[in-house]
Each structure stands twice: as C-alpha cells, then as structure tokens.
Amino acid sequence: MKFFLLVSCLFAISFSAVAQNSTASSKPRPPKTDDEEFERIEQETTLPPEMRIRMELERRNNEYRKVVEDAQKLNDLSGDIAKHFQEQKTLSSQDMKNVNAIEKLAKRILSFAGGSEEKDDAHKNLSLEAMVNRLLEVSTKIKDSLTTETRHVISATVIYNSNEAINLTQFIRKMQK
C-alpha cells in the first residue's frame, strides 16, 4: 500500500510539472499552414464589424505610411546620385546600386497607386546628366504628391511620374553598360 501511495504521489508531481511546462510554452505563434491561416481569417470574421473596420483602416494607413517612406527614400537616393554626378561627372558602382533601388521603389509606388508599367522612349536621346537631373525632379514630384495628398487620393501624376522614374532608371542603366 505504501508503495502504491508513493508511486501515485510521484506520478501526480511529474504530471503537474509537465502540465506547467506545456502551459508556459504555449505562446501564440504565427500561422504556418493553410489550416492555421484559415482559422486566423475565420477568427477575424467573427470579430464585431467595428473592430474589423478599425483593423482594415489601420492596415491601409500602415501601407500608406510605407509608401510615403519609400517616396522619401526615392527622393534621397536621387539627390545623392545627382550630387555625386555633379561632383564626379560619372556614376560609381554605388550610384548604380542606388539606381536599381530607385527603380524598385518607383515600381512599389506605382503598384500602390494602381498603375501599370508603361515604356516611354521620350528620354532616350537625353544625355546622362540630363537624365540624372530629370530623375531628381521626378522623384521630388512623387514625394511632394504623396506627402501633400491624403491616402484617399490616387493621383494620376504619381502614376505618370513613377513610370517616368522607372524609364529613366532603365535608360541610365543601359547607358552605363
């Protein structure tokens, strides 16, 4: 009988230790499977409508803030390239990396604005200096448009200027090869 009592006490102690470890390590983790993602979406749809609307507005505001930050980066990189070109009259390998980054940022801004990429050969015959200066002008226009307008306004000028920035970066890259 004492043996049975001792075994049951040890079992109870070990079971409570295991239970404590399992509750301490049950932190929420990001969804990894389609089933878990489906459950997360299902939970969101069971939220009250006000909460879902608030979450959606917050998500859209965060997207807009990121696009405004991208526009600021685009403008800063264009300024750096223009400044370096004025000093050296050539583009360095770092400048070419910045040109690639500018193209990616312009594509992201274009995508956010709902535009599509369009080829334009209007700048094809410009000099490298003129292209660099025009890229700075276009970048400034994009940044100004996004910072002065609200996120509810999708401006055709943002789409046009983003396309122009993309085309300019592609021409600059071709000229440097």
Side-chain angles (χ1 to χ4, degrees), residues 28-41 43:
R29 60 182 171 87
K32 293 187 179 179
T33 65
D34 291 337
D35 292 336
E36 290 174 337
E37 181 66 18
F38 178 75
E39 287 177 23
R40 184 190 63 78
I41 292 171
Q43 285 176 347

Side-chain angles (χ1 to χ4, degrees), residues 115-166:
S116 60
E117 201 173 325
E118 296 179 18
K119 301 290 181 198
D120 185 11
D121 291 340
H123 305 294
K124 189 176 186 177
N125 298 326
L126 294 177
S127 67
L128 184 59
E129 182 176 9
M131 283 187 195
V132 168
N133 290 333
R134 183 67 188 149
L135 183 61
L136 179 60
E137 291 172 20
V138 168
S139 299
T140 303
K141 287 180 183 179
I142 292 170
K143 181 190 69 98
D144 291 345
S145 294
L146 286 172
T147 54
T148 58
E149 309 262 339
T150 66
R151 72 171 177 87
H152 303 289
V153 177
I154 304 273
S155 176
T157 58
V158 170
I159 294 171
Y160 176 79
N161 289 326
S162 296
N163 265 315
E164 190 173 358
I166 292 167

Side-chain angles (χ1 to χ4, degrees), residues 14-174:
S14 65
F15 183 73
S16 67
V18 170
Q20 287 177 352
N21 285 341
S22 68
T23 58
S25 65
S26 63
K27 296 177 184 174
R29 60 182 171 87
K32 293 187 179 179
T33 65
D34 291 337
D35 292 336
E36 290 174 337
E37 181 66 18
F38 178 75
E39 287 177 23
R40 184 190 63 78
I41 292 171
E42 190 174 289
Q43 285 176 347
E44 285 181 5
T45 58
T46 60
L47 292 173
E50 299 84 21
M51 181 70 81
R52 280 186 280 146
I53 291 169
R54 194 174 312 135
M55 289 172 63
E56 180 65 19
L57 287 173
E58 186 62 31
R59 185 187 62 77
R60 288 183 183 179
N61 283 333
N62 287 337
E63 279 181 17
Y64 183 72
R65 276 187 231 119
K66 287 178 186 175
V67 169
V68 171
E69 288 173 12
D70 287 348
Q72 183 62 47
K73 286 181 200 173
L74 185 135
N75 191 45
D76 292 343
L77 290 173
S78 297
D80 291 345
I81 291 171
K83 180 181 174 187
H84 184 262
F85 189 82
Q86 291 297 327
E87 294 169 357
Q88 304 294 323
K89 297 297 181 195
T90 186
L91 295 176
S92 68
S93 61
Q94 181 60 43
D95 291 333
M96 293 310 295
K97 288 179 184 177
N98 289 346
V99 166
N100 291 334
I102 288 170
E103 183 177 6
K104 288 179 185 176
L105 291 168
K107 285 181 178 182
R108 203 175 315 158
I109 292 168
L110 179 65
S111 174
F112 173 80
S116 60
E117 201 173 325
E118 296 179 18
K119 301 290 181 198
D120 185 11
D121 291 340
H123 305 294
K124 189 176 186 177
N125 298 326
L126 294 177
S127 67
L128 184 59
E129 182 176 9
M131 283 187 195
V132 168
N133 290 333
R134 183 67 188 149
L135 183 61
L136 179 60
E137 291 172 20
V138 168
S139 299
T140 303
K141 287 180 183 179
I142 292 170
K143 181 190 69 98
D144 291 345
S145 294
L146 286 172
T147 54
T148 58
E149 309 262 339
T150 66
R151 72 171 177 87
H152 303 289
V153 177
I154 304 273
S155 176
T157 58
V158 170
I159 294 171
Y160 176 79
N161 289 326
S162 296
N163 265 315
E164 190 173 358
I166 292 167
N167 288 320
L168 284 166
T169 58
Q170 292 170 351
F171 287 134
I172 290 170
R173 218 178 21 254
K174 285 179 186 175

